[in-house]
Amino acid sequence: MSRRKKALPEPGNARELAVRVLTDIENRQAYSNLELKRVLEQTKLLHRDKALATELVYGTISRLYTLDWMLAQFVNQPLDKLEGWARNLLRISFYQLTYLDRIPAHAVVHEAVEIAKVWGHKGVAGMVNGVLRNRLRHPERVDIPADLPPVERIALVHSHPKWMVEEWLRRFGEVETENMCAANNQPPRLSLRANVLRATRDELIAQIEKQATDAEVEPSMIAPEGVIASDVGNIAELPAYTSGSCTVQDESSMLVARALAPEAGMRVLDMCAAPGGKTTHIAELMGNKGQIIALDVHPHKIKLIEANAFRLGISIIRARHGDARDAAHLLAGETFDRILVDAPCTGLGVIRRKPDIKWYKWQEDARSISEIQYEILCAASRLAAPGSKIVYSTCTVQPEENIELVRRFLAGHPEWELDKSLIQDMPRALQEKYLTLVEGYVQILPHHFHTDGFFISRLKMKQ
């Protein structure tokens, strides 16, 4: 990884901001969403320039493997020998030339050369100019060969690591793998969950349409409280949001609380609760009657849970710091009617939201984290009241973190079984698509409903 030899200039336009963020992500090994948010909050760029910078950052990270393959056809030295900012300047330029039709090619080249002149020296500017003009003269050199083996072809066309493509081909087959990889490169939609304590879904839609005149809002086809919205501006400033009528949550994620099937007056435990999206949904479905213990291992995230509950007008959540693996000790003597284990995972179902996950997650991660998941699930079983149910869920698509882990748990805990009645609490769209619902679990892939990839299972004690 290259290191900056001098401080980078303050970004004065969208492209400079994108280069700055991408370079800082590399140098600091920072998360793209956090680094971009930090820089955007500090800049005085116009909204349209912030939008372009966001597109360039996420698009470049998402297409990184393909962009570097393309660059290698034109750059006469290994890419890691270039200064980090110069490499990222070429990457965002190739991204614009390849994937953004609305930006004229001459503007891309001109802007890149001007940035290179300011940020580097004459030699770097000449190199950037030569590479980009050569790319325009020979567009055929970035065409991906059609006769590549499936692993290499899918990895290059959809910019995913070869190991990941190979793994998914083995698990899901070629059609599902290619569709999933393609979906991972699509921008996520804004999905909101109506807070049923304050507004029905139809009332929320009416509020948004009144408050954001350009908004397009439609009900989710899979989440009963969900709506899909666009052109609403800054959601954090929308009155429907600030007043607590809704919260931001992916449609697949909304199904987890539904799977838990909580009822008013129950005692519920959320083992890995922060930032509280599913916790507050559970409370809403309970009519804010009963008690929910929201546990999380990160002490600084406890306030996030409390803040979310306060904004939504929820009073039954008690947030506590603690490692879920030690929950049986932390909550000794207590039992719960419902327990949610939304376990920490590799997150390979949310690549469209966090594209850098593709590049820093490895096969070994799933195997190592599955041990933590197993310990948490075992701890949950020791806190279950007679007749209780446990929902185990993740936002990944890796079987070793999902159904294989559940089966391992059941083999070691014969008093538990998959709850086949889960299908009754899932929307009709899922009932029609997933045969595994009759067994008590479901694996949603990102391309099925243009949502996050999610695994949801429900366990119950045997009679």
Side-chain angles (χ1 to χ4, degrees), residues 222-373:
I222 65 168
E225 293 82 35
V227 303
I228 308 303
S230 60
D231 296 323
V232 298
N234 185 349
I235 185 63
E237 297 176 358
L238 195 72
Y241 181 86
T242 57
S243 66
S245 292
C246 66
T247 197
V248 177
Q249 188 179 17
D250 184 75
E251 296 166 89
S252 292
S253 179
M254 294 181 207
L255 299 173
V256 174
R258 282 277 170 182
L260 198 65
E263 299 175 10
M266 282 185 168
R267 297 194 76 240
V268 177
L269 173 62
D270 188 346
M271 300 278 279
C272 311
K278 299 178 188 68
T279 321
T280 53
H281 193 192
I282 294 167
E284 291 164 14
L285 295 178
M286 293 169 64
N288 200 32
K289 296 175 182 178
Q291 184 183 47
I292 301 174
I293 302 297
L295 199 66
D296 201 83
V297 71
H298 303 290
H300 66 282
K301 292 185 177 180
I302 298 302
K303 292 190 180 299
L304 288 176
I305 301 172
E306 294 171 340
N308 279 325
F310 178 79
R311 183 179 62 81
L312 297 168
I314 294 167
S315 59
I316 65 170
I317 296 172
R318 183 155 60 94
R320 291 187 54 177
H321 167 239
D323 190 324
R325 292 173 290 184
D326 299 325
H329 171 71
L330 295 169
L331 301 170
E334 299 189 55
T335 58
F336 298 88
D337 304 302
R338 297 286 188 272
I339 301 176
L340 172 59
V341 178
D342 186 53
C345 66
T346 53
L348 296 185
V350 297
I351 287 174
R352 74 177 74 200
R353 298 184 187 279
K354 301 177 180 179
D356 31 1
I357 285 177
K358 288 191 289 189
W359 313 120
Y360 66 74
K361 291 293 182 183
W362 300 91
Q363 287 168 296
E364 293 78 12
D365 292 336
R367 299 186 184 97
S368 60
I369 205 168
S370 65
E371 290 304 314
I372 297 173
Q373 295 162 341

Side-chain angles (χ1 to χ4, degrees), residues 32-164:
S32 59
N33 59 327
L34 298 180
E35 187 65 17
L36 180 61
K37 181 176 182 291
R38 182 185 70 81
V39 175
L40 287 177
E41 288 175 347
Q42 296 173 353
T43 184
K44 296 180 180 179
L45 294 181
L46 297 175
H47 175 74
R48 66 173 181 271
D49 293 322
K50 290 182 179 180
L52 175 58
T54 300
E55 166 76 27
L56 294 179
V57 169
Y58 284 134
T60 298
I61 294 173
S62 186
R63 301 285 184 174
L64 191 62
Y65 180 57
T66 309
L67 293 172
D68 282 359
W69 176 83
M70 291 177 175
L71 278 169
Q73 316 303 313
F74 298 95
V75 178
N76 296 323
Q77 60 179 305
L79 295 182
D80 60 5
K81 298 298 183 183
L82 297 175
E83 284 195 68
W85 70 263
R87 181 171 59 249
N88 286 315
L89 177 59
L90 288 172
R91 283 169 171 165
I92 71 162
S93 300
F94 267 56
Y95 177 75
Q96 293 169 86
L97 293 172
T98 307
Y99 299 106
L100 298 185
D101 295 338
R102 67 183 183 271
I103 301 178
H106 66 85
V108 174
V109 176
H110 174 75
E111 288 288 341
V113 173
E114 290 303 307
I115 292 173
K117 288 178 181 176
V118 175
W119 288 34
H121 51 75
K122 192 182 236 182
V124 179
M127 181 272 295
V128 169
N129 184 56
V131 168
L132 295 182
R133 292 196 178 280
N134 203 14
R135 158 71 174 80
L136 294 180
R137 284 193 296 268
H138 299 284
E140 76 283 352
R141 287 166 65 179
V142 299
D143 291 340
I144 297 171
D147 57 351
L148 292 173
V151 171
E152 295 181 33
R153 183 186 60 79
I154 294 173
L156 263 181
V157 170
H158 302 293
S159 204
H160 279 61
K162 285 184 181 179
W163 75 262
M164 194 177 291

